Amino acid sequence: MRNPKIADAFDELATLYELDGANRYRVLAYREAARVIRDCPQSVAELAGEGRATELAGIGETLQTKILALIEAGEIPASAKLKEKLPASLVEITQIPGLGAKTVRKMYDELGISSLEELRIAASEQRLRGVKGLGAKLEENVLASLERIEAEGHERRRLLSEAREVAEQLLTALRAHPASGEVEIAGSVRRWAETCKDIDIVATATDPEALSAALLEHELAEEQRSSGGGGASIRTFNDIKVDLRIVPPEEYGSLLQHFTGSKEHNVALRERAQRMGLSVSEHGITETETGVVHACRSEAEVYRRLGLMLVPPELRQGGNELELAAERELPRLVEVGEIRGDLHCHTTLSDGQNSLEEMLGAARRRGYLYLAVTDHSASHGFGNDVPAGALLDRLAEVRELDTATRGIKLLAGSEVNVMPNGSLDYEDEVLAELDWVIASVHTSFQIGAERMSERIVRAIEHPLVDCIGHPTGRLLLKRAPYELALEPIFEAAAANGTMIEINSNPRRRDLNEGNARLAAAAGVQLVINTDAHKVATLDNMQYGVATARRAGLGPQQIANTRTWRQFAGLRKRI
DNA sequence: GCCGTTTTCGGCCCGACTGTTTTCAGTCG
């Protein structure tokens, strides 16, 4: 059983307990456990089988027993028992914004509401206001939420790239406004998370009303949600919610820290503060004993007062970053400016939109020292296949262009398909002519973890394969990774000197941060590539670098921060 | 239910907002 399924079961159990009126800290414990299980890079089912799930923070003997029961019986006995008492469909009602377990339980006890449809009818018949504490406004909100849920399914997340585009435009506009002081993006966008729900911006201003107005009047704003001296809120034309919060300069650091999150990071930060006799909020740091409040102008001050190094936003994940910050051992993270070359891109030869010359010119303008052009291979579908003959023609073209170009080395490469049995779709004699070979899986995703891992390991062991492309095949918000075991893959890659890619396409981010961290720890050389299909998407490098930063990786762990000469020294073939 | 610079019991992050109240519980980020 995979981790997300176990995590979902505990989330459901947490809500059931909450509906049952259990101790809130017990509920919290189940929710925390669900999060830990979801984020765990190893199979929690296997850990529990070995009696080692208790090594995870937040999982004790009781939860381990429940995990084993879940795997054995398909359901946690405690959940089954609660579902005899309460309809399981109440859980789904708590998903509606504004309706927590307490309210849902009350509506069930007093009105017998146990499904979304019953809720809709009761709200439209204005029967909810008969319950003490519920009123007309709630009925209105419930109906609006139900309508939205019907229209767009559950709450819509979007790719970071989509939100960043909007966030950066707004940031530029707000910073240019005469009333603005400090302006910064906060939230998941600032942490470079894979997906996000909304955009948070925090600011100081000489005239807060005027700065709020600037957001409301921005050309991207479709709906003005609210406004005032404390900030403003809009919805953009592409339906992204944006919150601007404005505070006095002396509280700016505290506010920025607070709204950058993550939630898990802030919880850990506050727990640490409490042990020091301090209390952290978005207004400042309070000495519990004296009540003295220290408002913080900068984020650095927030962390300094807690005895910590400034934690880069990408690392604020609620992992071990605070311990590292306390020991002054936070890693020095790789930066976009340190990337010296891109080793995965496409041209019009396969499915790209720009020519070889155009891609080379763009790479050169970026200041790269090398570029590998890696069009798809012989068996690639969609009419974008490149027969061996065409590849050899391209090779000659690359050699000629490389000789004629100063300042950047152009490499002849290919992104070859790894067939289901692990073989490649060009003959070795053809591959041997190339400077750089990426092997990727593009077909037959459903062959099971074991066969998929063997397939990729075989490609890794091929002497002419330099690198594995987008290793897990996931597409964010679209397609789950295919089933595979990464441990043997990382082990084989380290042993064979085959590099592994962090694909920077914002829909891929593959490897993801957790797996990139594990790969680096296993001694694998990582390469950050864009997989660009046109000149503009060479800019996606920032997303791959963000994933590496979130994995805590520095330039020494990323092979393409090297010059080409240094890079060549890391390769298995010279 | 978990966990230990509070160490096997007694705590467990904080404040704003909303809608409903007339002093606050519930929800959310």
Side-chain angles (χ1 to χ4, degrees):
Chain A
M1 184 175 292
R2 306 184 92 187
N3 293 350
K5 192 159 176 203
I6 301 174
D8 287 345
F10 280 115
D11 266 330
E12 185 193 50
L13 180 55
T15 306
L16 285 167
Y17 269 132
E18 211 176 0
L19 287 163
D20 195 40
N23 177 299
R24 56 189 287 242
Y25 293 109
R26 184 203 246 184
V27 173
L28 207 64
Y30 279 108
R31 293 220 187 283
E32 174 63 13
R35 183 184 79 87
V36 168
I37 291 166
R38 195 168 282 116
D39 290 346
C40 178
Q42 290 167 278
S43 162
V44 173
E46 274 175 36
L47 284 176
E50 297 163 7
R52 291 175 50 216
T54 52
E55 291 172 16
L56 299 170
I59 304 215
E61 290 296 339
T62 309
L63 265 86
Q64 175 157 276
T65 308
K66 286 186 156 72
I67 294 169
L68 291 171
L70 169 64
I71 295 162
E72 182 79 16
E75 184 164 36
I76 303 171
S79 294
K81 214 166 156 193
L82 284 166
K83 284 178 192 169
E84 283 173 21
K85 258 171 87 176
L86 298 164
S89 50
L90 293 184
V91 173
E92 129 182 89
I93 303 181
T94 63
Q95 305 298 315
I96 293 180
L99 295 189
K102 295 247 168 64
T103 310
V104 170
R105 181 59 195 265
K106 206 150 59 170
M107 295 190 308
Y108 172 64
D109 287 341
E110 298 187 23
L111 300 173
I113 293 169
S114 65
S115 72
L116 291 175
E117 184 54 20
E118 285 166 8
L119 175 66
R120 193 186 61 75
I121 293 167
S124 58
E125 291 175 355
Q126 310 196 329
R127 284 191 283 119
L128 298 185
R129 63 186 68 178
V131 180
K132 187 162 185 290
L134 311 187
K137 191 73 190 173
L138 184 93
E139 287 168 348
E140 206 176 293
N141 289 344
V142 162
L143 290 173
S145 294
L146 285 171
E147 209 168 295
R148 196 164 54 233
I149 285 170
E150 206 167 318
E152 66 188 40
H154 54 13
E155 198 156 16
R156 182 159 166 237
R157 294 192 75 84
R158 50 189 81 233
L159 292 178
L160 175 63
S161 49
E162 219 179 308
R164 276 209 82 86
E165 218 167 280
V166 171
E168 279 166 14
Q169 274 189 68
L170 294 174
L171 188 66
T172 305
L174 292 174
R175 281 184 173 162
H177 193 278
S180 76
E182 305 276 354
V183 188
E184 188 56 84
I185 299 170
S188 50
V189 177
R190 184 165 182 237
R191 301 195 312 276
W192 292 82
E194 292 172 346
T195 60
C196 39
K197 245 169 35 189
D198 50 21
I199 296 171
D200 288 305
I201 301 176
V202 303
T204 63
T206 52
D207 182 351
E209 301 271 354
L211 194 63
S212 290
L215 179 68
L216 298 175
E217 287 156 15
H218 194 277
E219 59 178 10
L220 292 180
E222 184 194 27
E223 183 189 332
Q224 307 183 341
R225 293 165 54 93
S226 58
S227 156
S233 183
I234 61 165
R235 194 169 278 280
T236 64
F237 280 98
N238 56 349
D239 203 30
I240 303 181
K241 184 169 158 281
V242 183
D243 286 318
L244 167 68
R245 291 182 180 79
I246 304 173
V247 281
E250 54 273 20
E251 289 185 8
Y252 174 74
S254 288
L255 188 81
L256 180 59
Q257 194 288 319
H258 177 81
F259 280 104
T260 296
S262 66
K263 194 174 145 205
E264 292 77 12
H265 175 82
N266 285 353
V267 167
L269 195 77
R270 286 171 181 164
E271 282 171 355
R272 180 187 162 82
Q274 221 182 33
R275 288 196 295 274
M276 299 169 69
L278 300 170
S279 167
V280 177
S281 83
E282 60 264 52
H283 303 297
I285 299 177
T286 309
E287 292 178 24
T288 317
E289 223 164 88
T290 62
V292 174
V293 182
H294 302 280
C296 298
R297 280 180 177 270
S298 71
E299 270 194 327
E301 189 183 344
V302 176
Y303 288 92
R304 195 177 63 240
R305 283 192 177 274
L306 299 172
L308 300 166
M309 284 171 80
L310 176 63
V311 181
E314 293 94 327
L315 290 181
R316 300 183 197 172
Q317 296 168 36
N320 67 345
E321 70 270 14
L322 292 185
E323 288 148 51
L324 294 175
E327 301 294 324
R328 317 215 86 65
E329 282 175 3
L330 282 175
R332 206 285 261 169
L333 304 178
V334 62
E335 289 168 23
V336 173
E338 292 177 305
I339 300 294
R340 302 295 188 87
D342 197 335
L343 293 162
H344 185 169
C345 72
H346 298 262
T347 71
T348 48
L349 182 62
S350 62
D351 56 351
Q353 292 175 33
N354 289 101
S355 68
L356 181 62
E357 290 80 2
E358 287 165 340
M359 295 301 282
L360 178 65
R364 199 177 167 196
R365 283 194 296 279
R366 294 181 65 90
Y368 284 157
L369 302 178
Y370 44 94
L371 175 76
V373 178
T374 54
D375 277 297
H376 287 293
S377 53
S379 69
H380 201 75
F382 310 106
N384 295 317
D385 57 299
V386 178
L391 180 62
L392 294 173
D393 290 346
R394 164 52 65 87
L395 179 67
E397 214 181 321
V398 166
R399 294 279 179 261
E400 197 176 320
L401 190 56
D402 181 43
T403 311
T405 310
R406 294 276 153 244
I408 181 167
K409 181 158 187 58
L410 181 61
L411 303 159
S414 176
E415 181 184 17
V416 304
N417 280 351
V418 181
M419 310 310 280
N421 68 1
S423 65
L424 307 176
D425 63 344
Y426 284 128
E427 298 295 330
D428 286 359
E429 299 80 71
V430 176
L431 295 178
E433 296 293 318
L434 300 174
D435 303 313
W436 176 253
V437 175
I438 297 180
S440 305
V441 168
H442 287 116
T443 58
S444 305
F445 298 140
Q446 313 260 15
I447 61 175
E450 198 177 332
R451 282 184 64 202
M452 186 61 89
S453 295
E454 284 168 7
R455 174 184 186 178
I456 295 174
V457 166
R458 195 178 156 202
I460 286 170
E461 289 170 344
H462 193 295
L464 295 171
V465 169
D466 295 294
C467 181
I468 299 297
H470 46 71
T472 76
R474 66 129 175 220
L475 296 177
L476 285 164
L477 304 176
K478 231 178 180 176
R479 186 174 77 202
Y482 34 73
E483 292 198 25
L484 85 170
L486 282 167
E487 264 169 60
I489 288 175
F490 294 157
E491 206 174 293
N496 286 275
T498 307
M499 298 185 184
I500 290 187
E501 170 181 274
I502 294 175
N503 188 296
S504 303
N505 181 321
R507 194 173 282 285
R508 291 192 182 270
R509 310 277 296 266
D510 182 11
L511 297 173
N512 68 17
E513 59 232 19
N515 290 328
R517 194 187 290 257
L518 292 174
V524 175
Q525 280 291 337
L526 293 164
V527 181
I528 307 177
N529 291 326
T530 62
D531 197 356
H533 283 63
K534 54 184 177 185
V535 163
T537 46
L538 286 170
D539 284 340
N540 284 339
M541 187 59 81
Q542 58 184 335
Y543 295 106
V545 170
T547 290
R549 290 172 65 85
R550 287 173 61 90
L553 303 181
Q556 70 287 352
Q557 285 149 308
I558 307 298
N560 54 329
T561 58
R562 313 288 215 284
T563 63
W564 180 246
R565 189 184 292 272
Q566 294 168 334
F567 185 97
L570 298 171
R571 302 179 65 185
K572 62 178 170 187
R573 59 177 172 143
I574 315 279

